[in-house]
Amino acid sequence: EPGEGRQFGLEGDQFKIGHQIGKGGQAIVYECSRLRTGNKYAVKVIDTSTKIFMRIGEQHLQRELRNMQELYHPRIVNLHRAFWEPKYCLIVMDLASGGDLHRRIEDEVATYGTPYKGLGGSEFASKHVALQLLDGIAYMHEHNIIHRDLKLENVLIVKSHPCSAEVADQPRELLDIKIADLGYSKMVKREGGEEEPDQPPMMQRVHSAVGSPDFVAPEVLSQDYDLRADFWSFGVMLYAMLCGCWPFNISGTKDLQKERHRELVSTINASEPWANASEDAKAIIQGLLTVDPNKRLGAGDCMRHPWLRVQGVDEDDMRMTRRRQRSTSASALLEMITGPSPVVREIHAKAGYAVDSVDLELSNGSVRSYGAKGGEHRGHWYLKEDEIIWGLMQETRPNYLGNSIVFFTSCARSIVIAGSNAHRRCRLVAPQGSQIVGLQFEQSHLIGIHMEKVVDGKGAVQQISGQAGHAVDKVVMTLRDGSTREYGEDGGQEQ
């Protein structure tokens, strides 16, 4: 049974379990360390042998892991590794050892009494957390994932920054946080073309009621909602951070009946801390706790709101920051393979969890370096005299060159530089002068390709289309002679 002192993981790359830091449901959370590096993480140990897990828990866990694999952001508890054993699943994640926001607010109310002056004793401290929450929520939504269970217990404290007590109206401390627990999260698809993140009506709607009673949006109880439900929960959290109590009096399951709940949440509790809150704070919370989701504030509205713009937050800057996080060093990677001369002759790289650095040695003897120091694994590749790099694929990751980088060469070679967190992918490439005209599958595994020589500058394939939902359901290759080659089954959205 996993417990303190127990080791797990791959041979030669083991983790060691430390002290327990949390417990709930079927899981126990421990601190753990990676023996090879000494880095600290959290490991969630889940007993997969219980009847309740086998009945409903496995579905939630698989969803959580699947959606965590799609995300990597400083305001989210990120997945590093997952290990399945006969009776347990061990999930290695970011360590956030400061407890959760619910417990912190409870402790502050008990310690400092009433009227509550807000998280950390100041609205400024609540803004600091609100901006981080907004950044994390907007990032998830840009990746088409609704959290569906945003609540104070799922906001974990990473670090506390004490402030000077000598300055008037200064908060006692500022908290760095991460959003946790994607067990109820759901991936949806944008309907139509690319949309900006503050246009939620273009998102596919969800038809299942989940969430926690104090934080659940009214439309969720009607089982017809989209990402705007997360912003209702965000509003409840803001009220609790400022007032130390709940905005609505929801006392049991009877209050979760659709009409009863709608009546209860139509008026925000006029608590004493609420009366003392600034007008801008009240306005943003009222905008978030709007029963009609079509009138509710979204990510863009919050970024532009005076209560958050006091700290100089600009919507375009915030959005560009997230784009830079999604495409770290993308311009540098493009530079690697552009330019007529000189050509790359050798590639040197270092990787750990992700790709840390890439050095390109050119035919004129110069070296182009990208990334930073780090990475335990080294790679070194030589290119042939007539071999050139003609393509590149990057699986992005913030603050690194990516989870993986793949160079495609004119000799039909794929040079793969991958960290341990990179997704496993099948990569098949045609040599220069040829085109892929067909695929070969063994059940769901792509095991080969069919190729034809390109004649007179035209390949045989005229168009590629398909259908995809959470994964790729079908691929159709239309040839210039009018015939088609189809793979997979109908399902998902046409692309």
Side-chain angles (χ1 to χ4, degrees), residues 190-232:
R190 287 192 181 274
E191 296 177 351
E194 181 73 16
E195 300 293 336
E196 290 299 318
D198 55 349
Q199 291 182 309
M202 298 303 292
M203 297 295 293
Q204 175 188 354
R205 300 184 72 80
V206 180
H207 304 282
S208 57
V210 298
S212 300
D214 288 309
F215 299 87
V216 69
E219 66 269 23
V220 172
L221 301 178
S222 300
Q223 299 189 26
D224 185 21
Y225 59 97
D226 56 26
L227 57 79
R228 291 172 289 190
D230 278 350
F231 286 104
W232 176 278

Side-chain angles (χ1 to χ4, degrees), residues 2 6-17 32-36 41-48 53 61-62 65 69 79-93 353 420-421 424:
R6 163 102 136 59
Q7 294 186 19
F8 66 95
L10 303 175
E11 185 177 351
D13 190 11
Q14 294 272 297
F15 293 82
K16 185 175 182 179
I17 297 177
C32 74
S33 57
R34 192 180 186 192
L35 297 181
R36 196 170 68 187
Y41 302 93
V43 57
K44 180 159 69 172
V45 180
I46 301 168
D47 186 347
T48 60
F53 177 84
L61 179 58
Q62 293 286 5
L65 292 175
Q69 287 171 346
L79 172 69
H80 291 277
R81 302 293 291 270
F83 301 95
W84 291 87
E85 297 183 351
K87 291 180 61 179
Y88 298 96
C89 179
L90 297 94
I91 304 171
V92 180
M93 306 174 293
Y353 281 120
S420 59
N421 279 348
R424 292 184 178 180

Side-chain angles (χ1 to χ4, degrees), residues 343-483:
V343 295
V344 177
R345 283 288 157 254
E346 296 182 30
I347 300 174
H348 301 259
K350 293 181 181 179
Y353 281 120
V355 179
D356 293 279
S357 66
V358 173
D359 295 328
L360 303 179
E361 188 171 326
L362 308 182
S363 56
N364 64 0
S366 63
V367 176
R368 293 178 182 175
S369 298
Y370 307 88
K373 293 181 179 179
E376 304 94 344
H377 305 294
R378 299 169 180 261
H380 185 192
W381 296 265
Y382 293 93
L383 276 71
K384 299 176 183 177
E385 189 67 29
D386 59 346
E387 187 176 17
I388 62 171
I389 297 170
W390 63 263
L392 181 144
M393 182 173 71
Q394 178 196 29
E395 181 188 333
T396 60
R397 176 165 177 171
N399 305 318
Y400 292 87
L401 294 184
N403 272 334
S404 66
I405 297 172
V406 183
F407 296 95
F408 299 105
T409 80
S410 57
C411 294
R413 187 156 61 125
S414 300
I415 298 175
V416 180
I417 307 167
S420 59
N421 279 348
H423 289 76
R424 292 184 178 180
R425 305 183 190 276
C426 177
R427 304 176 181 93
L428 301 170
V429 58
Q432 191 173 21
S434 297
Q435 183 187 44
I436 298 173
V437 297
L439 309 176
Q440 185 176 352
F441 286 88
E442 186 175 287
Q443 296 179 340
S444 62
H445 299 287
L446 179 62
I447 61 172
I449 55 177
H450 301 281
M451 296 180 293
E452 289 184 7
K453 191 172 183 179
V454 175
V455 180
D456 297 328
K458 286 188 176 182
V461 179
Q462 184 176 28
Q463 177 181 299
I464 298 175
S465 58
Q467 298 175 19
H470 186 80
V472 178
D473 296 284
K474 188 174 184 178
V475 172
V476 179
M477 303 178 78
T478 303
L479 306 187
R480 295 190 186 278
D481 63 9
S483 63

Side-chain angles (χ1 to χ4, degrees), residues 265-280:
V265 301
S266 296
T267 304
I268 296 174
N269 284 342
S271 61
E272 186 176 356
W274 176 250
N276 295 334
S278 70
E279 292 305 312
D280 283 339

